[in-house]
Amino acid sequence: MTKQQLIQEIRAKRSFLCIGLDVDLEKIPEHLLQTEDPIFEFNKSIIDATHDLAVAYKPNTAFYEAYGLKGWKSLSRTIDYLNNNHPEIFTIADAKRGDIGNTSTRYAKAFFEDMNFDSVTVAPYMGSDSVEPFLAFKDKFTILLALTSNKGGLDFQVLTDEKGSTLYEHVLQVSSTWQNSQQLMYVVGATRPEYFKKIRKIVPDHFLLVPGVGAQGGDLVSVCDFGLNSDIGLLVNSSRGIIYASKGEDFAQRAREKALELQKEMEIILEKRSL
Amino acid sequence: MTKQQLIQEIRAKRSFLCIGLDVDLEKIPEHLLQTEDPIFEFNKSIIDATHDLAVAYKPNTAFYEAYGLKGWKSLSRTIDYLNNNHPEIFTIADAKRGDIGNTSTRYAKAFFEDMNFDSVTVAPYMGSDSVEPFLAFKDKFTILLALTSNKGGLDFQVLTDEKGSTLYEHVLQVSSTWQNSQQLMYVVGATRPEYFKKIRKIVPDHFLLVPGVGAQGGDLVSVCDFGLNSDIGLLVNSSRGIIYASKGEDFAQRAREKALELQKEMEIILEKRSL
């Protein structure tokens, strides 16, 4: 998918909502546990109920890996379902991978070719030659961790150099010089709205993937105040707040209601800013 | 496995060699491609030929993920084979994972419980609550990226703060204060021997996993000069240099010869230092 196609989809749906498919067998409705592939059945129902309200889905691969081969099969079926039925949806493998050159190419192939995701999240610690192999794939996006929403995010990411620049600012600056850097997006946690202004100065045009709205306490309006750009430029993710709205047979309908609430908020924000 | 068991094994074998099982179907002998599971057959032959010379095996998960479900099955069979036949061997899932709390627990379960690896490599970027979930598993080790051997390793890892400390030094210092930090090891590239002295000042007792000897240009003697401690404290990895020594039917025998060369070098170094 191209960036223009993503922007078009956001404008058409009046939504920059990403739904996190972090499926935990202990949290899904019991009646699904009787099916052959409960994780896929759950995802399919969530996607069917929300695909007109969201522009992106983001399975976190850890939740699938934890179930071994079965889990990988469920992930594979989920991405196939999305690609076959909703090719207009932007798909994110939230895998936080990263390794040296050749090895990163392997990961890139796994997610971009074998599973045909539109994008994958990548950790920046190992630098240019761990990320550029991902950027070499045309019309695919690499979403680099910049400033994460968790408490430990402050352990190293705000480390400040002699000139007053923090590590996450370096990550934004340096990565902008890498080959095919126009195919980068960045993860910036919604719990840190005070940083968005600084971030937008360094990367005014890139999309930001923003987790942490809802369950983790991030606030949508603050995020938009500083994060939106003329292309909208945000994908705001909600996982638990949507997919676990109910554990009953009405789970998909309740997930839709939660997604609709967020989409409506987004529509109002976009309208106010004539976007 | 406990640290004492690992040290005992190193002393018994006079070897701190780790063999990287980074299996690429394009590089393995052609006659194996006819088998049902070429990756596993290759690994099994390499393990059978070298297990008395190495104390650890390290499959890099990217190489397996790149082959989708089949690849995961090969990885799963490989770790089962090691655990069933060579329980004295230290196993490393070179996965470079890391995510927020709950999610890291999922990864930890996947590698420590589902597959029963002794250790997993983890990226430090997301800080304490992304790593501590791994450290919560008893008799399992978390191998944190500190200073990697690739060119891009210098992009961020040597970023220097106001007081002259680099990012990788912060990672060593800060992580030493985390819960169960005695279960940490660190990745330090063999291509950076000049840094080992500094590193040993901060983490004198922890094991260091050292990739980059051989194919990447690192030198074993320099690494040992500054890296060895009284418990030996090093696991030196070689992947391509051993496993791809030959593409013929003699591949396992040739791999053994290459492993033996390194083991002999290690034995001499240990002897010289009365370790």
Side-chain angles (χ1 to χ4, degrees), chain A residues 146-163:
Chain A
L147 188 61
T148 60
S149 58
N150 62 315
K151 185 176 134 274
L154 302 181
D155 282 344
F156 306 120
Q157 296 163 22
V158 294
L159 194 81
T160 308
D161 74 2
E162 310 95 321
K163 292 178 189 159

Side-chain angles (χ1 to χ4, degrees), chain A residues 92-110:
Chain A
I92 303 168
D94 193 3
K96 303 188 175 70
R97 296 297 194 265
D99 209 310
I100 59 171
N102 276 341
T103 316
S104 268
T105 301
R106 299 263 147 183
Y107 280 129
K109 279 187 179 166

Side-chain angles (χ1 to χ4, degrees), chain A residues 96 99 125 128-129 146 150 155, chain B residues 96 125 128-129 146 150 155:
Chain A
K96 303 188 175 70
D99 209 310
Y125 194 77
S128 58
D129 52 351
N150 62 315
D155 282 344
Chain B
K96 303 189 176 69
Y125 195 75
S128 58
D129 52 351
N150 62 315
D155 282 343

Side-chain angles (χ1 to χ4, degrees), chain A residues 22-27 60-63 65-70 72-73 76 94-104 106-107 109-111 114 123-130 144-157 159-162 165-168 170-172 174-175 178 216 240, chain B residues 22-27 60-63 65-70 72-73 76 94-104 106-107 109-111 114 123-130 132 145-157 159-162 165-168 170-172 174-175 178 216 240:
Chain A
D22 302 349
V23 186
D24 180 342
L25 286 178
E26 286 172 23
K27 288 187 185 157
N60 186 311
T61 53
F63 287 80
E65 280 184 54
Y67 297 112
L69 285 178
K70 261 190 167 172
W72 277 97
K73 211 167 177 179
S76 180
D94 193 3
K96 303 188 175 70
R97 296 297 194 265
D99 209 310
I100 59 171
N102 276 341
T103 316
S104 268
R106 299 263 147 183
Y107 280 129
K109 279 187 179 166
F111 291 110
D114 194 48
Y125 194 77
M126 297 181 77
S128 58
D129 52 351
S130 72
L144 204 60
L145 300 184
L147 188 61
T148 60
S149 58
N150 62 315
K151 185 176 134 274
L154 302 181
D155 282 344
F156 306 120
Q157 296 163 22
L159 194 81
T160 308
D161 74 2
E162 310 95 321
S165 286
T166 56
L167 173 58
Y168 81 86
H170 274 273
V171 167
L172 296 170
V174 173
S175 64
W178 293 341
Q216 290 180 54
R240 287 168 279 175
Chain B
D22 302 350
V23 187
D24 181 342
L25 287 178
E26 287 172 22
K27 289 188 185 157
N60 186 312
T61 54
F63 287 79
E65 281 184 53
Y67 297 113
L69 285 178
K70 261 192 169 173
W72 277 97
K73 212 168 174 176
S76 179
D94 193 4
K96 303 189 176 69
R97 297 296 195 265
D99 209 310
I100 60 173
N102 275 341
T103 316
S104 268
R106 299 262 147 185
Y107 280 128
K109 280 187 179 168
F111 292 110
D114 194 47
Y125 195 75
M126 296 181 77
S128 58
D129 52 351
S130 73
E132 284 180 339
L145 300 183
L147 188 62
T148 60
S149 57
N150 62 315
K151 185 175 134 271
L154 302 181
D155 282 343
F156 306 120
Q157 295 163 22
L159 194 82
T160 308
D161 73 2
E162 311 97 318
S165 287
T166 56
L167 173 58
Y168 82 85
H170 273 274
V171 167
L172 296 171
V174 173
S175 64
W178 293 341
Q216 290 181 55
R240 286 168 280 174

Side-chain angles (χ1 to χ4, degrees), chain A residues 198-217:
Chain A
K198 271 187 174 176
I199 289 169
R200 270 299 180 216
K201 275 196 184 151
I202 308 173
V203 288
D205 300 324
H206 288 80
F207 261 84
L208 308 179
L209 170 63
V210 185
V213 161
Q216 290 180 54

Side-chain angles (χ1 to χ4, degrees), chain B residues 193-265:
Chain B
E194 69 276 23
Y195 293 97
F196 271 78
K197 224 171 165 178
K198 269 187 177 178
I199 290 169
R200 271 298 180 216
K201 275 198 183 149
I202 308 172
V203 287
D205 301 323
H206 288 81
F207 261 85
L208 308 179
L209 171 63
V210 185
V213 163
Q216 290 181 55
D219 166 47
L220 182 64
V221 174
S222 315
V223 164
C224 290
D225 276 349
F226 302 113
L228 283 169
N229 66 19
S230 60
D231 285 336
I232 297 159
L234 291 178
L235 290 171
V236 170
N237 182 75
S238 174
S239 305
R240 286 168 280 174
I242 292 177
I243 68 174
Y244 299 133
S246 157
K247 218 189 157 172
E249 299 219 351
D250 63 343
F251 75 100
Q253 182 52 36
R254 293 292 307 281
R256 180 178 175 79
E257 288 162 21
K258 289 287 175 189
L260 189 61
E261 274 174 33
L262 274 170
Q263 184 272 325
K264 285 289 168 216
E265 280 185 59

